[in-house]
């Protein structure tokens, strides 16, 4: 597993913001290739899809189709159970990693202030599990489970 928090996310979490509030109405971008060494780094790889509610159009700064999380419990937070997190393949490729972003405009370049979380993608044992990592342009995909767990100890 390779969850990476950006400096901006860590600063907000250490302040007065919750994970749920930081990523309210956010979006997940899915990329091919290897995730960057830091969530502060610019993206690399090919954009394969944008996860939103029901694969709807998303605009930074608008709540429309942004992703929501449920209430935290037991040191974990899940996607809101009432939401359908989906994406359409934007091009053919193999999913390798994702970037979760808040609703603030993110140009996907280097930043130590924007809240971001990067993670690995696979069919089993990765941070984000898909039924297949072979993405086809125009095909629909669903995220059934998305859970972030903060460990009790290091």
């Amino acid at each position: 597993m390779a969850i990476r928090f950006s400096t901006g996310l860590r600063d907000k979490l250490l302040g007065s913001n919750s994970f749920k509030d930081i990523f309210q109405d956010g979006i997940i971008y899915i990329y091919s290739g290897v995730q960057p060494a830091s969530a502060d780094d610019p993206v690399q790889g090919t954009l394969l899809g944008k996860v939103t509610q029901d694969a709807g159009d998303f605009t930074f700064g608008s709540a429309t189709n942004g992703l929501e999380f449920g209430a935290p419990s037991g040191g974990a937070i899940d996607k809101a159970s009432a939401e359908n997190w989906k994406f359409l393949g934007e091009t053919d490729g193999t999913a390798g990693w994702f970037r979760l972003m808040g609703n603030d405009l993110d140009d996907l370049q280097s930043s130590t202030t924007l809240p971001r979380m990067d993670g690995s993608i696979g069919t089993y044992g990765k941070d984000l599990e898909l039924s297949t990592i072979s993405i086809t342009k125009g095909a629909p995909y669903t995220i059934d489970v998305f859970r972030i767990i903060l460990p009790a100890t290091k």
Side-chain angles (χ1 to χ4, degrees), residues 117-128:
M117 186 185 83
D118 292 353
S120 61
I121 294 178
T123 57
Y124 180 77
K126 298 295 183 177
D127 303 312
L128 175 62

Side-chain angles (χ1 to χ4, degrees), residues 91-109:
T91 190
D92 295 347
T94 303
W97 69 282
F98 70 89
R99 176 163 284 173
L100 170 64
M101 296 170 285
N103 197 279
D104 299 327
L105 181 61
D106 191 327
D107 64 5
L108 305 172
Q109 298 302 311

Side-chain angles (χ1 to χ4, degrees), residues 48 87-90 92 134-141:
L48 300 177
F87 71 97
L88 296 176
E90 294 199 10
D92 295 347
S134 296
I135 306 303
T136 302
K137 183 177 181 174
Y141 299 88

Side-chain angles (χ1 to χ4, degrees), residues 19-136:
F19 185 93
K20 181 178 178 176
D21 290 342
I22 292 167
F23 290 114
Q24 181 174 338
D25 300 318
I27 188 168
I28 297 173
Y29 282 15
I30 295 180
Y31 291 94
S32 65
V34 178
Q35 76 187 81
S38 168
D40 293 338
D41 292 342
V43 298
Q44 55 193 39
T46 301
L47 178 63
L48 300 177
K50 298 175 184 176
V51 180
T52 62
Q53 285 189 53
D54 293 312
D57 290 336
F58 176 88
T59 302
F60 285 104
S62 170
T64 304
N65 297 319
L67 304 175
E68 303 287 339
F69 287 89
S73 176
I77 192 166
D78 297 291
K79 75 176 199 66
S81 60
E83 288 194 354
N84 296 311
W85 288 17
K86 298 180 178 185
F87 71 97
L88 296 176
E90 294 199 10
T91 190
D92 295 347
T94 303
W97 69 282
F98 70 89
R99 176 163 284 173
L100 170 64
M101 296 170 285
N103 197 279
D104 299 327
L105 181 61
D106 191 327
D107 64 5
L108 305 172
Q109 298 302 311
S110 294
S111 174
T112 58
T113 59
L114 289 169
R116 301 169 171 169
M117 186 185 83
D118 292 353
S120 61
I121 294 178
T123 57
Y124 180 77
K126 298 295 183 177
D127 303 312
L128 175 62
E129 294 181 2
L130 297 174
S131 59
T132 179
I133 58 171
S134 296
I135 306 303
T136 302

Side-chain angles (χ1 to χ4, degrees), residues 8-24 104 113 115 150:
L9 174 56
R10 291 180 290 134
D11 287 348
K12 288 180 184 297
L13 287 171
L14 292 171
S16 60
N17 298 285
S18 71
F19 185 93
K20 181 178 178 176
D21 290 342
I22 292 167
F23 290 114
Q24 181 174 338
D104 299 327
T113 59
L150 293 181

